[in-house]
Amino acid sequence: MDASTSSSKTTLRKGLGETLIETGKITAEQLEEALKLQQKVKRKLGEILVEQGLITPEDVAAALSLQLNMPIIDLKLHVVQPYALRLVSEKLARKYVLVPIDVIEDSLVLVMADPGDIRAIEDVAAQAKMRIQSAVGIPAQILEAIDLNYKAQGEIDEQVRQFSHTPKPQEVSEAEESEAIIAKTPVVRTVGLIIVQGIKARASDIHIEPQKDRVRIRYRVDGVLQDAMSLPPETLEPLLSRIKILAEMDISERRRSQDGQFSFTAEGREADIRAATYDTEFGETIVLRILDKALPLFTLPELGFQPDTLKKYQDMLNSPYGMILIAGPTGSGKTTTLYASINQLDRNERNIITIEDPVEYHFTDIKQTQINPKAGITFASGLRALMRLDPDIILVGEIRDGETARIAIQAALTGHVVLSSIHANDAVGALFRLMDLGIEPYLITSALIGVIAQRMVRRIDHHCRESYQPSTEELAAYEEEMGQEQTRFYHGAGCNFCAGTGYLQRSGVYEVLPLSRETRNLLLKGASMDDIKAQALAEGMSSLKHAGMLKVKEEVTTLQEASRNFFAIG
């Protein structure tokens, strides 16, 4: 359908109401009330009915499909073609809630929330210089497809072409250093676009890496690095200089590793960025860790705990004093679990204080402190100071050294609940990590309530989920761990929502070790790691590997993803 054959909006809205009545979705009385409200608020009928809870967005799409004799396009099952996307600007797509998905002969196929919007069709046709063939889509799917498919590469390329015509950051005069002027320079725009695209892609980290003939940009999404774009090698120095200025690093230092942080705001979203540099063969590489403040705070049940492990952990949190450790490698979600834990604790009757590096999420009614080594505030010194502030619950972002560990244990032994994280491969390994830091076994057994070890596995994208046949090796590993066969396994085939990976978002995998009397006795006797782990398993602890395989059984993740994370774990 093109602009010349579109129905008018008046006819469309009247037809929508009639169609919804005919299909039994609403009554004539409900339509009459909605039309009266529409006259007052001047909004679309479908939106009003959805907000009133009378119908769903899917009902609106189905009614529009019947009324206009148009197909409904399920964007979960369709890949947006890049050549179609380039014909329509992101600004226009967002304005009219539409997304171009393909070119068929001489027509551009548009999936639209409102296919009766003639102005939208005319504007897109003028921009794309093509006939328009419209289809019906669900607004939420269209907006998600816009977020996932529109890339900043085109605008970045335009900014990069102007690099040679602008002064380097250190050459800008004081008179020119107004925020308005600086914000318009190509270097600044490019850095901003790279970060914005990273936030849109749900990246936790951005890697800017010099290669022999290019600057490689990669985003870490759901724990895995993905190529995002390539820039000319001459862009490296200006990009690094701009980021160093933002992060208050020494712009002239290129060989010594540096780190810093800065705040970034774009499109109404705030993020804290941690930057770290390192010198390589082809120049400095820099990694930006994104702490997106717009992301919601998870509750413990939402993190992925199995019901039995969640109960064990919540019992630990209810202890009147003692220390609880969250163990795992970098990027395993330890901070998320700590935040979800203190978020469920009573803030009115108990004084909760944190010391973190950095403060990633701000809570009301909780005192939070960020370490600042330049000001003499480290985990150890900060923890020692806050002990004088009458705390009930203390969150220490990470135990990195023996001094911090010892002070935290003393706090736990003197009537406080202490929550912290530590780098260790599994729960039992955390006990031995404390001993490596110089903590005596009798202090560990006296202070420690328990340890939670965790990993993150990628979830199968439900948009493109399908059954498949795993390899013989994967099947053997599953059957060995679970002690049973399973005939049905799923993976993601890859679609535009998951950027072709088959995965979308992540789920936690947990190993909960409460310190029982028997486990404490083994630790005091100097038992081996294997002996203590055997005791914990005998007491009902589910190992990380077993918990990961349960995620496969529950069709949350794939055998391939489980093998990537757990098959090497004993």
Side-chain angles (χ1 to χ4, degrees):
M1 185 185 84
D2 57 34
S4 63
T5 59
S6 297
S7 303
S8 71
K9 281 193 174 184
T10 302
T11 304
L12 173 62
R13 286 173 177 162
K14 180 181 178 183
L16 175 64
E18 291 174 347
T19 303
L20 289 168
I21 292 174
E22 291 172 0
T23 54
K25 298 298 180 182
I26 61 173
T27 64
E29 291 76 14
Q30 289 170 332
L31 174 60
E32 185 177 352
E33 289 299 319
L35 289 171
K36 289 179 181 178
L37 179 59
Q38 184 187 30
Q39 292 298 317
K40 297 178 181 178
V41 299
K42 305 299 182 183
R43 294 179 59 195
K44 296 177 181 179
L45 177 62
E47 292 177 359
I48 293 171
L49 293 170
V50 169
E51 286 185 0
Q52 291 178 334
L54 299 175
I55 58 174
T56 66
E58 289 78 9
D59 293 331
V60 175
L64 287 171
S65 176
L66 287 171
Q67 176 64 27
L68 299 173
N69 192 28
M70 284 184 185
I72 297 178
I73 298 295
D74 187 349
L75 286 170
K76 296 179 296 186
L77 305 176
H78 283 74
V79 175
V80 175
Q81 300 299 330
Y83 49 80
L85 207 68
R86 285 194 289 269
L87 295 172
V88 182
S89 69
E90 181 178 357
K91 181 179 179 180
L92 205 61
R94 290 190 184 279
K95 178 180 178 180
Y96 293 120
V97 192
L98 55 85
V99 62
I101 63 169
D102 207 350
V103 174
I104 299 178
E105 296 179 351
D106 62 344
S107 297
L108 176 65
V109 181
L110 287 183
V111 179
M112 306 178 65
D114 184 1
D117 190 338
I118 298 176
R119 177 63 179 273
I121 294 173
E122 289 175 342
D123 285 355
V124 173
Q127 187 175 89
K129 296 179 173 57
M130 296 188 72
R131 292 170 56 87
I132 303 300
Q133 182 179 333
S134 301
V136 183
I138 298 169
Q141 285 189 8
I142 294 172
L143 291 172
E144 190 172 357
I146 290 172
D147 287 339
L148 291 171
N149 287 280
Y150 275 97
K151 304 295 182 183
Q153 183 71 60
E155 190 171 351
I156 288 176
D157 288 343
E158 176 60 30
Q159 298 299 326
V160 167
R161 282 193 288 271
Q162 301 178 41
F163 269 34
S164 60
H165 304 297
T166 56
K168 297 178 181 178
Q170 59 267 38
E171 296 172 350
V172 178
S173 67
E174 290 186 8
E176 294 175 318
E177 284 186 345
S178 72
E179 199 65 33
I181 292 175
I182 291 175
K184 293 178 181 178
T185 62
V187 176
V188 174
R189 288 284 299 146
T190 302
V191 170
L193 288 166
I194 290 171
I195 296 174
V196 166
Q197 190 57 39
I199 293 173
K200 286 182 179 180
R202 300 179 297 105
S204 60
D205 302 86
I206 301 173
H207 290 241
I208 301 176
E209 305 165 329
Q211 306 287 306
K212 184 177 181 180
D213 57 352
R214 62 177 177 140
V215 176
R216 184 188 194 190
I217 311 293
R218 292 196 290 172
Y219 296 142
R220 186 177 295 279
V221 180
D222 294 334
V224 177
L225 283 169
Q226 301 174 359
D227 277 329
M229 62 191 78
S230 292
L231 302 179
E234 61 268 20
T235 63
L236 179 64
E237 185 179 339
L239 292 177
L240 288 175
S241 296
R242 173 57 184 167
I243 294 171
K244 286 180 178 180
I245 290 171
L246 289 172
E248 298 183 350
M249 299 179 188
D250 184 350
I251 195 171
S252 63
E253 179 59 66
R254 300 180 183 179
R255 295 185 178 181
R256 180 175 57 86
S257 297
Q258 300 185 74
D259 61 80
Q261 60 189 65
F262 59 95
S263 296
F264 184 87
T265 302
E267 299 181 1
R269 297 174 70 170
E270 293 184 19
D272 285 334
I273 311 293
R274 298 169 65 183
T277 67
Y278 188 80
D279 191 33
T280 68
E281 179 185 4
F282 298 111
E284 283 183 286
T285 186
I286 191 163
V287 177
L288 306 179
R289 167 65 58 89
I290 300 174
L291 307 174
D292 189 352
K293 295 181 179 180
L295 295 179
L297 185 66
F298 289 100
T299 63
L300 285 173
E302 292 172 332
L303 293 180
F305 279 93
Q306 296 294 331
D308 57 334
T309 55
L310 178 59
K311 184 180 185 307
K312 289 179 182 178
Y313 181 45
Q314 288 178 324
D315 288 343
M316 291 184 194
L317 290 174
N318 291 329
S319 300
Y321 59 87
M323 185 163 73
I324 301 172
L325 287 178
I326 311 295
T330 301
S332 59
K334 299 187 296 295
T335 301
T336 301
T337 301
L338 286 172
Y339 278 168
S341 301
I342 64 170
N343 192 44
Q344 76 165 41
L345 298 174
D346 186 350
R347 308 176 201 174
N348 293 322
E349 296 186 0
R350 292 192 280 186
N351 182 20
I352 303 175
I353 306 178
T354 78
I355 181 162
E356 309 169 55
D357 180 28
V359 174
E360 296 186 18
Y361 188 93
H362 297 276
F363 293 87
T364 57
D365 304 323
I366 289 179
K367 302 178 184 72
Q368 295 175 269
T369 304
Q370 181 164 314
I371 72 166
N372 184 354
K374 294 179 180 178
I377 303 173
T378 63
F379 279 121
S381 65
L383 180 56
R384 189 181 292 111
L386 65 83
M387 285 292 292
R388 297 190 287 270
L389 300 178
D390 185 33
D392 295 298
I393 298 167
I394 302 168
L395 186 151
V396 183
E398 184 181 343
I399 290 178
R400 299 175 179 173
D401 53 67
E403 185 182 9
T404 305
R406 192 168 295 276
I407 299 170
I409 283 179
Q410 291 298 329
L413 290 173
T414 52
H416 306 89
V417 175
V418 179
L419 302 175
S420 190
S421 69
I422 193 167
H423 281 90
N425 287 330
D426 58 16
V428 175
L431 305 178
F432 286 80
R433 174 61 180 152
L434 285 174
M435 289 190 285
D436 289 341
L437 293 174
I439 307 301
E440 296 82 357
Y442 77 89
L443 287 176
I444 298 173
T445 57
S446 300
L448 198 61
I449 301 169
V451 183
I452 295 85
Q454 68 178 80
R455 295 289 192 281
M456 301 291 284
V457 294
R458 291 179 293 172
R459 289 178 173 271
I460 299 169
D461 181 6
H462 68 276
H463 300 113
C464 57
R465 177 177 174 269
E466 66 178 18
S467 61
Y468 83 112
Q469 183 61 36
S471 68
T472 304
E473 293 78 10
E474 290 173 337
L475 283 172
Y478 178 86
E479 292 168 7
E480 180 183 359
E481 179 62 35
M482 302 301 290
Q484 62 184 36
E485 293 184 1
Q486 183 162 322
T487 58
R488 186 176 60 182
F489 294 90
Y490 288 91
H491 72 169
C495 66
N496 56 298
F497 281 92
C498 59
T501 65
Y503 299 99
L504 191 62
Q505 299 182 337
R506 295 190 290 175
S507 177
V509 177
Y510 298 89
E511 176 181 273
V512 178
L513 171 64
L515 255 66
S516 66
R517 179 178 300 176
E518 292 77 10
T519 303
R520 295 176 198 272
N521 288 336
L522 285 173
L523 194 62
L524 288 170
K525 292 176 182 178
S528 69
M529 191 179 295
D530 289 340
D531 288 342
I532 294 176
K533 185 168 185 178
Q535 176 63 34
L537 292 172
E539 292 175 358
M541 182 185 79
S542 178
S543 70
L544 281 170
K545 183 176 180 180
H546 189 79
M549 287 302 189
L550 282 175
K551 295 286 184 182
V552 176
K553 183 178 181 180
E554 295 167 354
E555 301 170 2
V556 172
T557 193
T558 65
L559 268 173
Q560 184 180 19
E561 178 70 359
S563 68
R564 186 176 71 88
N565 284 278
F566 304 114
F567 284 12
I569 296 175

